[in-house]
Amino acid sequence: LIWEGDKSQDPWFAEFGKRVSQLLADSGIPLCQGKVMVSEEFWRRPLNDWKHEITRWVDKAMPETMLNVDIFFDFAPAYGEARLANELRSHAVATASASPFFLRMLANEVERAEAPIGVLGGFDLEDGRLGLKLFGLLPLVNAARVMALKAKTESPATADRLAELARREMIVEADAVEIRDFLEFFMTLLLEQQLF
């Protein structure tokens, strides 16, 4: 949640965030176990506070803040003044793309993703299910995000990021198409898995 002003306005936005989170929960979207919700103070700030926080993430990149970064760089405006979100995204992309160390930290997160293969060569399952999001979607999404930040591409959508990277010849067009197909395949499997 972003607003124009200062932290003195937080009590109003705190109540707003609490109501929005509860409305989503009442609609069947469960509250985030990781507390990434506008009801949490960390995830609602005035624009300048957000800019300061992003600069801090980039300047003092640590493994424990990488999850916040992963979540943050894919934001998209849902309601209100889109220009605030656009200004924040421009700041975030410019700040991140100017830091080779930060980009390396993000790339390290991609490299750490391991295949869900058990000791005997079969898939590691949780409650009889394969972690399609963790082992299928996330490595592809994260890799596209790192490359897009390096290229100063502002789109939050992975398919758009891949298309722009191909247009700039940072990846081969055929590879971009294949990765998009894999993403669509994993999304279909993930949705089917959640239905049953």
Side-chain angles (χ1 to χ4, degrees):
L1 182 61
I2 313 164
W3 70 86
E4 212 161 27
D6 58 44
K7 205 67 173 163
S8 69
Q9 297 156 317
D10 185 62
W12 189 92
F13 287 104
E15 181 62 26
F16 173 77
K18 181 177 156 189
R19 291 182 186 196
V20 167
S21 296
Q22 192 56 53
L23 278 169
L24 290 170
D26 292 345
S27 300
I29 300 170
L31 297 175
C32 177
Q33 298 297 316
K35 299 196 180 292
V36 182
M37 304 176 289
V38 294
S39 57
E40 298 294 323
E41 185 176 7
F42 184 86
W43 292 104
R44 57 174 198 273
R45 302 167 190 257
L47 179 62
N48 288 333
D49 285 20
W50 269 120
K51 288 180 177 180
H52 175 75
E53 183 65 18
I54 292 162
T55 301
R56 189 181 71 79
W57 286 344
V58 171
D59 290 346
K60 298 181 177 168
M62 294 174 284
E64 56 268 24
T65 62
M66 288 298 106
L67 178 60
N68 290 343
V69 169
D70 278 351
I71 293 165
F72 178 83
F73 275 100
D74 291 345
F75 80 87
Y79 183 78
E81 295 283 340
R83 68 176 175 78
L84 295 175
N86 295 336
E87 184 176 338
L88 184 57
R89 179 175 312 288
S90 293
H91 172 79
V93 170
T95 305
S97 66
S99 174
F101 174 72
F102 179 74
L103 294 174
R104 182 73 241 161
M105 289 283 288
L106 285 178
N108 286 345
E109 292 298 307
V110 175
E111 290 173 0
R112 282 209 305 238
E114 295 181 13
I117 306 297
V119 179
L120 302 176
F123 286 118
D124 275 339
L125 303 177
E126 189 172 316
D127 297 326
R129 295 176 176 219
L130 183 62
L132 294 170
K133 182 176 178 184
L134 183 62
F135 300 112
L137 283 175
L138 285 181
L140 297 174
V141 169
N142 291 347
R145 181 187 304 117
V146 174
M147 292 181 69
L149 286 172
K150 184 176 181 181
K152 301 179 185 176
T153 299
E154 294 193 10
S155 174
T158 303
D160 293 343
R161 287 171 172 166
L162 291 167
E164 180 62 18
L165 291 167
R167 190 186 68 73
R168 295 185 191 190
E169 298 183 349
M170 294 181 72
I171 60 174
V172 176
E173 174 66 32
D175 290 345
V177 170
E178 191 169 7
I179 294 168
R180 284 195 302 266
D181 289 346
F182 275 123
L183 286 169
E184 194 171 310
F185 173 70
F186 281 125
M187 278 300 294
T188 301
L189 287 179
L190 188 62
L191 289 171
E192 287 175 358
Q193 191 180 71
Q194 289 177 350
L195 289 172
F196 301 104

